Amino acid sequence: MKTKMKTLLLLCVSTLVVLSAAAEQKLKNCNEVRAAFTSKGLNVNDVPNKGINGAPLKVCPQGFSCCTVELEEKLSQQSQTEIKAPVSRLSTNLQSSFKQRHDNFDKFFRELLKNAEDSLNNMFVRTYGMMYVQNAALFRDFFKSLTQYYVSGSAAVNLDSMLSDFWDDLLERMFRLVNVQYDFSDAYMECVSQHTEQLQPFGDVPRKLRIQLTRAFVAARTFVRGLSLMPDVINKVSTVSASPSCVRATMKMLYCPYCSGQVALKPCQNYCLNVMRGCLANQADLDAEWNNFLGAMLSLAERLEGPFNFESVMDPIDVKISEAIMNMQENSMQVSQKVFQGCGTPKLKPISRSARSVKETVFTGRFRPYSPEARPTTAAGTSLDRLTGEVKKKLKHAKKFWSTLPETVCAGERIAPGDECWNGTAKSRYESLVMGNGLANQVSNPDVEVDITKPDTVIRSQIAILKEMTSWLKAAHSGNDISFDIDVEGSGGEESGSGSDTTSQTDDMYFPTTPNTRFTKLTDICKSLKEVIVGASQSWKE
């Protein structure tokens, strides 16, 4: 029995000696380490052929090692690339996604404007003929101003003033047409313009259209501005340089196992989390304002789907303006009488000339509405609801992006689960507590030295930018235009005042967003307009 026990003991000792000798031989020749570093793009000549005993390393554990102080320096440079790579990849994907969404929305809104102008032009040419052609510049300028407002806001166009001027100009032209037998001076027409609000020659259309256009345009351009801001913020935040202590911690986590000959050993998950939360502490502080911004974008997106629907305002704008013209034509006699009472009776033109002019200016067109199928298609057949639905999913997915970056990086093949992992000094369990996110939580980080008294200036500036943009989004959600482009021009950042009376309006101010309902209402309008046109033509003949 004793003989057997001695034999087993000798066998165990022999096995340990053999394994130890094999491990020592493996470390002595550093072949695996050289191959692993070469695969990382390092020069094989920077790695010793044999392990060095008692190497005076600055970062990795001292002792028998396949690394030198000089190699540690190069590994630190490599670590900067290693830490940036996953963050850069994740950020680039997010950046590209929202850049594409911005381009899609911007193209869509611009095409809606262009199609609305083309639609009105085609309808009015058929309906009003030469009378429209001779006055087409008024409508071209109207759409040009709308486009300028969409692009630059009230820094370029005061929407209220532009709409007021449009209706004043239209009233002047129509008033001359329906009273062609009179000769009007500029002073007389100025008097007519001063009474526009009292006369309400176009019915309630100008007031409703002003509210609808203001809400829709403010929402659309602010939402597009928000989408354009996102890639810029992502780019600036993701390219913030890593601190020296972060680089050292990353190098220790990723490459010190190589130096000890354990090239397949990966860091413990909690160890990785502490390193990355220390390295990305400033980025995590962006998360609160980032989430507020995304919440405001989501709320405004819902407005775009509902009462502030840009598509529902621009699509039937030709019908709305035509309705206003018909209101003026139908009430032309009453309007003219009120003007004559307030501004005096104008002088008559020579009879022959006026008779000829009356004949030339009779409204003889027939109003023919577009069917849904006949209306122009925008942005390759897409709709605002579809675009908004897609971007809402992306916005929701982007929430907590910055605070979850450490978890995203410290996952999958980058870490080793359980206790068979690198804990910073050896292959063993990681015992330290995991720190929270953000700069303030890194005061006791065991793996990365973080100066919590010096927040990154680039990220703080982006937090301020997001906060300001969030306030614009919230204003747009209420139908108010805070003209951010005015600030750029240095005029003090005053509010434009557009939409200031919108809070008391009821739902009847909105264009309906359901296509079937909308076109049912348009058909009713068209029928009534036909009757007005026929009645007006008969009254002229009489």
Side-chain angles (χ1 to χ4, degrees), residues 325-334 532 536:
I325 292 172
M326 293 299 101
N327 286 339
M328 171 61 187
Q329 185 186 3
E330 183 179 15
N331 301 309
S332 60
M333 292 184 65
Q334 297 93 316
V532 171

Side-chain angles (χ1 to χ4, degrees), residues 76-92 235-243 246-247 250 253-255 276 279-280 283 401-402 405 409 414:
S76 292
Q77 297 173 13
Q78 181 76 10
S79 296
Q80 285 186 300
T81 303
E82 291 280 348
I83 194 173
K84 285 181 179 179
V87 175
S88 177
R89 183 172 62 255
L90 292 166
S91 300
T92 299
N235 177 58
K236 288 178 179 176
V237 173
S238 63
T239 54
V240 169
S241 299
S243 67
C246 168
V247 173
T250 305
M253 178 178 74
L254 296 177
Y255 291 117
M276 295 310 297
C279 289
L280 300 174
Q283 285 85 338
F401 174 78
W402 303 105
L405 267 179
V409 172
R414 295 191 188 94

Side-chain angles (χ1 to χ4, degrees), residues 94-111:
L94 190 66
Q95 187 177 348
S96 175
S97 176
F98 283 106
K99 174 67 169 63
Q100 182 182 359
R101 294 312 180 280
H102 165 267
D103 293 346
N104 289 345
F105 268 90
D106 187 49
K107 178 182 178 182
F108 181 79
F109 289 141
R110 289 174 186 267
E111 285 190 7

